[in-house]
Amino acid sequence: MPKVSMTVNGKAVSANVDARTLLVQFLREDLRLTGTHVGCDTSQCGCCVVHVDGKAIKSCTVLALTLEGANVTTIEGLAQDGKLHPMQEAFRENHALQCGFCTPGMIMTSVDIVNRKGNTLDEQTIRHELEGNLCRCTGYHNIVKAVAAGAEAMAK
Amino acid sequence: MYQFTYHRVDSARKAINLAEKNEDAKFLAGGMTLLPTMKQRLASPSAIIDLNPAADKLAGIEQRGRAIVIGAMTRHYDVANSKIVQDAIPALADLAGMIGDPAVRHRGTIGGSVANNDPAADYPSAVLALNATVFTNKRKIAADDFFKGLFETALEPGELITKIVFPIPSKAAYMKFPNPASRYAMVGVFVARRGKEVRVAVTGAGSNGVFRASKFEAALTAKFHVKSLEGVNASADGLNSDIHADAAYRAHLIGVMCRRAVNKANGK
């Protein structure tokens, strides 16, 4: 089996994998980082969003082998020193989750939105940018509020 | 997904050499269509030739004379946010920013989208309406000769798109009616005017893939104004019917999207 090496949440990892292994399988099954979820497996729902070299991507639609040498951040990599990332804290504060299944992807996408669009986000921008993330229980109202609050908190 | 042999290449030349030795091999660019297709077992290439390590050499955007040159591995995100594209062909930057969602745009590439020629993909309409030229490792292919039908192009086995050259139009706009779940175009219309020539390309609607709407082109060539389109309607013959929209509805949408695109191109 071919070998792949990358950096995940700041840690160097490598493994021999079946060529068919998707990044999300590599994260969940090889590295046991199960915060990244598989919702639809057809690149629509966004539950599997992680950052690769600083950009949000859907980890169910990329081969692990493609990411040789890449720098990957998952939801597990956001909190520092036992303290939630401001976006995580904003989701908690605004009750932006019910079952929580979509939350890791929502948060990774939201941090990416802030990275690209800055810390002041209007509702229309947030809703448009969250197009690739589906929530099937609470609806989006509190998620949108959380993203706006998290974006502001990230400036501090 | 069925098993395949994986090859990582760091140059176009190595990719082409490998493709010549592996008849059923597929090039992997962004993988935004190829990987889902393989997961559903609708495609089972014997080998994958991964172009991503060669992405830096095959990507890039520059203006050369009165044309914009975009490397095949350029991601949708980079086209959408390119100052060069935004200034020269804002319609093309708009189109790239409407593909899929942000995560898809971070990986998907222009070369992959054009080579795949999905009947509901956005880029083929821009290539056709802007009368672009597709450069491969072997030759250059005019847009009118490139798209051959559903997922069919003029590309031969083992032939690789290296760049696409878009002449800069005087006016252009793209309007699409996206499927609310997939963001693919139920109907997308790209209008472009360069000199006296007006081209109108329609994606998402045709059962044979992207096509030019000649009636609309003729009307707009007389005068590039939305009023020229009064009484001009698309025929439902040869259009797709599916659970999202029947052919008659798609025909209607062609007219609506074309009018909106002309207004947008005219700054209205």
Side-chain angles (χ1 to χ4, degrees), chain B residues 8-268:
Chain B
R8 190 181 276 141
V9 290
D10 59 8
S11 73
R13 178 188 295 271
K14 284 180 192 162
I16 293 150
N17 285 344
L18 269 170
E20 279 169 2
K21 288 180 209 146
N22 294 275
E23 207 176 306
D24 297 331
K26 276 264 187 201
F27 296 121
L28 174 65
M32 293 296 102
T33 303
L34 179 57
L35 290 172
T37 313
M38 287 168 66
K39 286 200 282 189
Q40 292 174 70
R41 297 189 167 181
L42 296 172
S44 52
S46 62
I48 284 291
I49 302 169
D50 191 346
L51 299 167
N52 283 284
D56 287 349
K57 293 176 196 162
L58 283 167
I61 297 167
E62 59 173 329
Q63 180 163 354
R64 258 187 235 154
R66 295 293 298 156
I68 298 296
V69 182
I70 303 183
M73 282 295 286
T74 310
R75 317 269 176 192
H76 307 324
Y77 173 80
D78 295 317
V79 174
N81 290 285
S82 156
K83 185 84 174 53
I84 296 172
V85 180
Q86 285 169 354
D87 288 348
I89 318 180
L92 187 59
D94 284 352
L95 174 147
M98 288 184 216
I99 300 171
D101 57 56
V104 167
R105 293 194 286 274
H106 279 151
R107 295 239 25 109
T109 69
I110 189 169
S113 170
V114 171
N116 188 48
N117 192 18
D118 188 298
D122 298 290
Y123 266 131
S125 69
V127 172
L128 199 53
L130 292 168
N131 200 9
T133 304
V134 178
F135 283 70
T136 75
N137 58 309
K138 292 181 179 161
R139 56 189 168 139
K140 49 184 186 178
I141 308 168
D144 284 323
D145 302 325
F146 185 82
F147 300 104
K148 297 290 190 190
L150 282 191
F151 300 102
E152 293 286 333
T153 68
L155 292 172
E156 291 162 3
E159 189 171 10
L160 180 70
I161 297 178
T162 52
K163 62 186 176 186
I164 300 173
V165 177
F166 293 94
I168 298 173
S170 48
K171 288 179 175 180
Y174 178 65
M175 278 290 170
K176 90 162 158 177
F177 192 93
N179 177 308
S182 71
R183 314 290 168 197
Y184 269 105
M186 294 220 317
V187 169
V189 176
F190 202 114
V191 299
R193 180 190 197 196
R194 189 165 63 105
K196 289 202 166 20
E197 191 187 24
V198 175
R199 294 166 68 105
V200 177
V202 179
T203 189
S207 51
N208 225 5
V210 66
F211 65 92
R212 287 173 63 185
S214 46
K215 273 197 287 184
F216 290 81
E217 290 183 352
L220 290 168
T221 304
K223 188 166 189 248
F224 194 77
H225 192 279
V226 73
K227 281 191 179 148
S228 309
L229 296 175
E230 277 171 21
V232 180
N233 295 303
S235 160
D237 291 343
L239 299 189
N240 285 329
S241 274
D242 54 31
I243 56 165
H244 307 298
D246 63 14
Y249 184 54
R250 279 195 163 86
H252 174 72
L253 282 180
I254 291 173
V256 175
M257 292 301 120
C258 188
R259 285 170 178 81
R260 287 185 190 171
V262 170
N263 272 336
K264 189 168 184 200
N266 282 327
K268 286 177 182 166

Side-chain angles (χ1 to χ4, degrees), chain A residues 35-37 45-51 56 75 91 100-111 130 132-133:
Chain A
T36 303
H37 291 166
C45 79
C47 291
C48 68
V49 169
V50 301
H51 295 182
I75 188 73
F91 269 64
F101 193 88
C102 71
T103 310
M106 286 282 178
I107 290 175
M108 296 311 286
T109 297
S110 302
V111 172
L130 283 178
N133 290 73

Side-chain angles (χ1 to χ4, degrees), chain A residues 41-60:
Chain A
D41 203 30
T42 54
S43 26
Q44 308 218 7
C45 79
C47 291
C48 68
V49 169
V50 301
H51 295 182
V52 169
D53 297 328
K55 284 178 178 164
I57 65 139
K58 291 183 170 175
S59 63
C60 78

